[in-house]
Amino acid sequence: MAARILEEIVDSRRKRIARDGYEMGCGVPAERPRELPLRGPEAFTRSPLVICEIKRGSPSRGSIKADLNPVDQAGRYIRSGVTSISVLTEQDRFSGSLDDLMDVKRAYPQAALLRKDFIIDENDIDVSYRAGADAVLLIAAILTPGELAALHRKAADLGMSALVEIHNEEELGRVRAAGIRPALMGINARDLRSFRVDLLAPLELRKQIDWPCDLLFESGIFAPEQVALAALGGFSGVLVGEAAVRDPGLPARLGQGLGRPEDFPAASGPFLFHLMQRRQAPSLRPLVKICGIAGREDAELAAELGADILGFVFADSPRQASVQLLEDLAELAAIKVAVVTDAPDAELVNAWRKGWIDAFQYHGDDTPEECLKRGLPFYPALRLRSEDQCRRIMDYASPRVLVDAWSDASAGGTGKRLDSQLVTLAASQK
């Protein structure tokens, strides 16, 4: 389905070009105006780098912000410290326009602008340059090796940067076959075949890029902790779309995650690194979590026996833990999570900031949007009773998801056995 959508987007764009020209009916000047200086590669290769996007919608998410004013949105990004901006110019599926890019560049000429579109030939590059773009997106999935090489060369001849985007090994092979070694590579966590996001997939693919380059992590970024995951995986920057459009305050917070691991809030870094290492070594035993820890003796024994994660319940339960216990165990070398059924209260968030816990297990009825908006390292615990719930697992954009049996009487810990068919379906989503 998604592969057909990609083909339809490209086919639709070819038809628009045939009808309206490469300028898409917009008033692109014959030459790039002098007052719109070209920002060189250094604007997109410095580290750490956060690129925020301007877009009104997408095929996977529908309308995001139909009434978005691109100049106002760019202003919010710039005031938050973001100086590199991606502008979606595709009309039919993303509701964008070259006018958006030109308006933003005229309003903020010192901003570094990436034209994000389904670019198919050298005329696209020329129009992008004249419109004020400083960089262009080259999607390996829609280009042959020969086309990739020609477009990459054309951008370089104009002094522009080219962000070459891949999603899988086959597309990386196209880049190699093109004989180019792009200085700026993007790995998209969104699978073009399903539109699902797997935050750990780019961490695996990046290991196969064996030339020096700056790496951008694309899609699925909603919180600083997810940026930290990208940084731990060797990425020097992130490209953030929907989340930045929806949350004007997010860009100012994202840079936290691109610091050194020791700079990450509390112990988020070790937690994310642990998840990453588990994905990279699938032959290891399953990830083991011991939940319901209520005392020091149990915690120390579980850690000694090799538990990967210790769970502390902060909900109505006979095994309810206390923040004091977390403080007492602060020096215990184990990954610790707080299990909650509602949004964590201020005391628990403070415990996380002090490093007494590493993450939160959301065991309530929170939507993906509610979980992500909190900006805390987390994974959801989903009580499964339908196939539709299994298919929504990827909506949480979490490196891990815990699945549990449904119960009308309790939010978890019932001892009930999960339906094996639901387990199989849930596992296929990751």
Side-chain angles (χ1 to χ4, degrees):
M1 176 64 178
R4 288 202 305 274
I5 291 177
L6 181 63
E7 293 170 1
E8 289 170 3
I9 291 173
V10 175
D11 183 60
S12 174
R13 190 158 190 281
R14 290 186 189 278
K15 290 177 180 177
R16 272 191 173 270
I17 290 172
R19 184 178 70 245
D20 302 327
Y22 288 91
E23 298 177 354
M24 298 295 172
C26 300
V28 180
E31 296 183 357
R32 186 181 181 114
R34 285 189 171 186
E35 63 270 22
L36 304 183
L38 178 69
R39 297 297 308 275
E42 70 282 352
F44 296 96
T45 56
R46 68 180 185 276
S47 180
L49 176 65
V50 175
I51 301 178
C52 288
E53 196 155 87
I54 291 174
K55 65 179 178 181
R56 297 179 179 86
S58 72
S60 61
R61 304 297 287 180
S63 177
I64 296 171
K65 193 174 183 180
D67 61 348
L68 178 144
N69 181 303
V71 174
D72 290 347
Q73 191 73 22
R76 294 188 187 98
Y77 293 156
I78 289 170
R79 287 190 293 275
S80 70
V82 172
T83 58
S84 300
I85 299 171
S86 167
V87 183
L88 223 308
T89 60
E90 196 277 338
Q91 297 102 314
D92 297 322
R93 300 278 183 165
F94 294 86
S95 302
S97 168
L98 274 168
D99 284 328
D100 293 342
L101 188 145
M102 291 188 289
D103 289 345
V104 171
K105 190 65 173 180
R106 281 193 292 264
Y108 300 102
Q110 296 305 317
L113 298 192
L114 165 71
R115 182 189 180 187
K116 194 171 184 184
D117 208 324
F118 297 80
I119 287 174
I120 53 177
D121 69 30
E122 293 185 37
N123 291 307
D124 275 328
I125 306 290
D126 180 65
V127 168
S128 302
Y129 174 80
R130 289 189 282 118
D134 305 290
V136 289
L137 176 70
L138 303 181
I139 304 173
I142 64 173
L143 299 169
T144 66
E147 290 168 339
L148 263 175
L151 295 177
H152 190 266
R153 182 170 55 251
K154 176 66 173 180
D157 288 345
L158 291 172
M160 303 176 73
S161 297
L163 170 59
V164 178
E165 177 184 286
I166 60 174
H167 305 77
N168 53 44
E169 291 183 40
E170 189 272 332
E171 292 166 19
L172 177 57
R174 293 190 193 190
V175 177
R176 294 186 190 282
I180 58 176
R181 296 295 181 264
L184 185 60
M185 289 287 296
I187 304 182
N188 202 319
R190 190 180 302 280
D191 186 340
L192 286 181
R193 294 165 298 177
S194 64
F195 279 131
R196 293 196 177 100
V197 172
D198 182 350
L199 291 177
L200 297 178
L203 306 183
E204 296 177 341
L205 187 56
R206 72 157 299 279
K207 293 183 293 182
Q208 300 182 43
I209 298 176
D210 56 3
W211 64 88
C213 64
D214 287 277
L215 283 167
L216 278 180
F217 190 107
E218 302 178 56
S219 294
I221 299 295
F222 287 84
E225 286 65 43
Q226 291 164 326
V227 177
L229 178 66
L232 285 164
F235 288 80
S236 56
V238 294
L239 193 154
V240 189
E242 175 191 350
V245 172
R246 292 188 186 277
D247 181 0
L250 179 64
R253 305 194 301 271
L254 289 178
Q256 301 172 25
L258 283 170
R260 298 169 300 169
E262 59 267 29
D263 294 333
F264 296 160
S268 306
F271 174 69
L272 294 169
F273 185 72
H274 191 76
L275 297 182
M276 183 180 74
Q277 290 294 86
R278 279 293 177 186
R279 174 61 176 266
Q280 293 176 337
S283 62
L284 294 178
R285 60 171 172 74
L287 193 71
V288 175
K289 170 176 168 281
I290 303 297
C291 201
I293 301 292
R296 171 178 285 277
E297 185 177 347
D298 291 340
E300 291 177 342
L301 178 59
E304 181 183 339
L305 293 176
D308 298 292
I309 301 175
L310 306 184
F312 299 83
V313 178
F314 286 88
D316 290 336
S317 166
R319 297 171 292 170
Q320 188 172 28
S322 67
V323 171
Q324 183 60 54
L325 176 61
L326 297 177
E327 182 178 4
D328 293 343
L329 296 173
E331 301 305 317
L332 183 64
I335 301 296
K336 310 180 192 74
V337 299
V339 180
V340 296
T341 54
D342 295 302
D345 61 24
E347 189 178 19
L348 263 184
V349 172
N350 189 49
W352 165 70
R353 294 191 185 283
K354 291 182 177 179
W356 300 343
I357 52 174
D358 302 287
F360 294 88
Q361 176 180 309
Y362 293 153
H363 223 304
D365 297 317
D366 306 299
T367 65
E369 292 75 19
E370 288 169 335
C371 292
L372 292 165
K373 191 177 293 185
R374 292 169 190 157
L376 299 167
F378 81 97
Y379 59 87
L382 306 179
R383 294 172 290 153
L384 301 180
R385 59 174 174 176
S386 70
E387 293 185 359
D388 182 62
Q389 285 179 301
C390 295
R391 295 189 180 97
R392 292 202 66 207
I393 282 176
M394 296 304 290
D395 291 346
Y396 287 85
S398 174
R400 297 282 182 179
V401 173
L402 183 150
V403 296
D404 199 357
W406 175 265
S407 170
D408 291 322
S410 173
T414 63
K416 289 188 175 184
R417 183 184 178 88
L418 260 166
D419 183 300
S420 59
Q421 290 184 332
L422 292 181
V423 172
T424 300
L425 181 57
S428 71
Q429 306 303 302
K430 296 300 286 180

